[in-house]
Amino acid sequence: MKSWKDDPRADTNPLFNDNPLKLGLFGLNGIGISMTNVPEAPNARWSESVAVSKIADEAGFEANVPYARWRGFIEEEPSHRSGLAMDCYTWAAATSQLTSRGGVFSTSHVPTIHPIAAAKQCATIDLISGGRFGLNVVAGWNKPELDMFGAPMKEHDDRYAQAAEWIEVIRQLWTREEAFDFEGQYYSIKKGISLPKPMQKPFPPIMNAGGSDRGRAFAAKYADMAFVIVKSDDPDEIRKEADLYRRTAREEHGRDIQIWTYAYVVQRETEQEARDYLNYYAVEHGDDRALDGWMRLQGMHTQLMPKDVMEAMRFRFKAGNGGFELVGTADQITARLEILKQGGIDGVLLGWVGFEDGIRRWVKDVMPRLTQAGLRLG
């Protein structure tokens, strides 16, 4: 079995480099990963994308991952700011021209774009970026958004069946020189072809977040980077989940995959300052309406939860959409990242309230500590 560390795409794409813990940005094209109404929160500003992407690129970040969003979470108010997000494909193409080192992703919800269109757009961005592109594939979960496209949301397993077919078509379009027919349950292709081909061979890497058993099976077969939500601070517990993905990929498909997660960051000179700011944006100015709308979309019934469990969950999602907590001083954040690495995590996507201020603090104080801790090569 060939390791991803020997992947030929490493010649152009830093996602396959030797850094023990890879780093990325998440949600820079929209409002970030926190549900808050503070004025300094991200607001789908291109100027912010430009500034932050350049800083991350110069610092050696491996990934810059946008999210796809078409409307707000509040059903009766679809124009709510929770729907703010620049289009992922055009954003990725533009961002690739701002940068020269880091990997640039698009995120694509399968039912919202035909695989022929997606294949050509991905190949184009891969060529523009010089072979640094990656695709984050989402099977589709937001029913009101899919309704906008006239694509009613399918049952859970059917969504992954469609996503598998979608990827099979795209990979053929990326690799086959001759036109081909494809007749599946979800797509019918007559003499399909896509030119030009991507720079990366055999094709650009794919990221996927699948938390269910079916989602894990999908990621193990198709993804180069499986994206998991860390639910524990115990490295042994984290490793159990990471190893389950790796074992599934190796034993069932003879593949070696990376395991990534995401985290929200609040870095200050003291832990108390960091906690105070976290409370300011997540509690005093947390966007409870957006969270309520998101929870309804997820089918979460809070009345069935104990009150303390419900409140802890609500806080975590307003703080950073349920991500791993990186709150405190640079030393404390480094120690938390060591926990992730001990748990078998290969990469972390990061989000801040106030991206530019946050990444400047990170580059100045956290990056050197990561090198000292052996998490980065420097």
Side-chain angles (χ1 to χ4, degrees):
M1 181 181 64
K2 196 168 186 178
S3 168
W4 60 262
K5 295 182 179 180
D6 301 317
D7 197 296
R9 292 171 290 185
D11 290 342
T12 59
N13 200 320
L15 292 166
F16 302 101
N17 69 22
D18 293 328
N19 268 318
L21 187 68
K22 296 171 178 57
L23 300 173
L25 304 173
F26 190 36
L28 183 58
N29 68 312
I31 62 168
I33 63 173
S34 302
M35 296 184 186
T36 179
N37 291 313
V38 295
E40 64 268 32
N43 201 35
R45 291 182 289 263
W46 176 239
S47 59
E48 185 172 40
S49 281
V50 171
V52 175
S53 294
K54 286 182 175 180
I55 295 170
D57 195 60
E58 292 170 3
F61 277 48
E62 282 83 6
N64 196 343
V65 182
Y67 58 73
R69 187 73 48 76
W70 300 96
R71 56 170 288 159
F73 292 144
I74 303 172
E75 184 176 0
E76 63 276 13
E77 189 183 341
S79 61
H80 184 266
R81 71 180 301 273
S82 54
L84 276 175
M86 288 180 276
D87 168 68
C88 292
Y89 285 97
T90 49
W91 180 89
T95 300
S96 72
Q97 285 297 281
L98 301 172
T99 58
S100 60
R101 301 171 60 185
V104 180
F105 278 77
S106 178
T107 291
S108 198
H109 290 192
V110 167
T112 67
I113 183 169
H114 194 278
I116 293 176
K120 185 174 281 284
Q121 291 178 191
C122 291
T124 301
I125 302 169
D126 198 44
L127 294 168
I128 292 171
S129 67
R132 294 182 287 123
F133 180 70
L135 181 63
N136 179 31
V137 176
V138 181
W141 62 271
N142 190 325
K143 184 180 184 303
E145 288 191 341
L146 298 186
D147 288 344
M148 287 173 59
F149 286 85
M153 192 165 71
K154 298 173 175 61
E155 293 299 320
H156 181 270
D157 285 3
D158 289 339
R159 285 177 245 161
Y160 281 105
Q162 181 180 5
E165 199 169 286
W166 190 84
I167 289 179
E168 294 286 357
V169 171
I170 285 179
R171 285 185 169 176
Q172 290 195 55
L173 291 165
W174 281 341
T175 57
R176 295 183 64 165
E177 297 295 337
E178 72 284 358
F180 66 93
D181 294 339
F182 181 94
E183 195 65 43
Q185 182 178 354
Y186 304 97
Y187 300 102
S188 178
I189 310 296
K190 304 299 182 185
K191 299 188 182 305
I193 195 164
S194 183
L195 300 169
K197 304 301 184 188
M199 176 177 290
Q200 295 179 84
K201 305 301 180 186
F203 32 68
I206 287 173
M207 175 181 282
N208 174 258
S212 65
D213 291 344
R214 182 66 181 86
R216 186 189 317 110
F218 176 87
K221 183 174 182 179
Y222 292 108
D224 298 277
M225 296 91 194
F227 194 84
V228 301
I229 297 179
V230 172
K231 305 179 183 70
S232 173
D233 292 343
D234 182 345
D236 291 335
E237 291 299 314
I238 298 170
R239 183 170 288 280
K240 285 180 184 178
E241 183 170 14
D243 284 352
L244 182 56
Y245 277 81
R246 289 195 178 93
R247 189 166 59 252
T248 303
R250 289 169 181 168
E251 293 178 358
E252 297 186 15
H253 305 288
R255 307 178 64 241
D256 191 15
I257 63 175
Q258 299 180 27
I259 309 299
W260 285 60
T261 192
Y262 69 102
Y264 62 93
V265 187
V266 184
Q267 178 190 341
R268 294 292 187 270
E269 294 300 313
T270 68
E271 181 180 6
Q272 188 59 54
E273 287 179 284
R275 294 288 170 193
D276 288 345
Y277 185 74
L278 176 61
N279 184 74
Y280 158 73
Y281 83 75
V283 178
E284 295 176 21
H285 297 280
D287 193 340
D288 288 285
R289 293 180 68 228
L291 176 59
D292 290 340
W294 181 85
M295 291 177 71
R296 282 195 294 270
L297 288 171
Q298 298 293 329
M300 291 185 176
H301 304 291
T302 56
Q303 66 269 25
L304 302 179
M305 301 180 190
K307 185 176 179 180
D308 58 336
V309 174
M310 180 189 71
E311 290 303 320
M313 183 198 70
R314 290 181 65 88
F315 175 82
R316 184 174 177 180
F317 276 91
K318 285 188 290 183
N321 203 32
F324 191 72
E325 179 185 283
L326 297 176
V327 176
T329 66
D331 285 327
Q332 289 172 313
I333 288 171
T334 301
R336 296 278 291 170
L337 290 169
E338 288 182 297
I339 290 173
L340 291 179
K341 188 58 189 176
Q342 291 164 13
I345 299 298
D346 297 302
V348 187
L349 299 179
L350 306 172
W352 292 266
V353 173
F355 263 97
E356 187 169 355
D357 174 73
I359 197 170
R360 289 188 186 281
R361 292 173 186 266
W362 182 280
V363 170
K364 176 178 177 291
D365 294 321
V366 176
M367 289 297 275
R369 287 168 168 81
L370 297 182
T371 302
Q372 293 168 5
L375 299 178
R376 303 282 293 179
L377 298 180

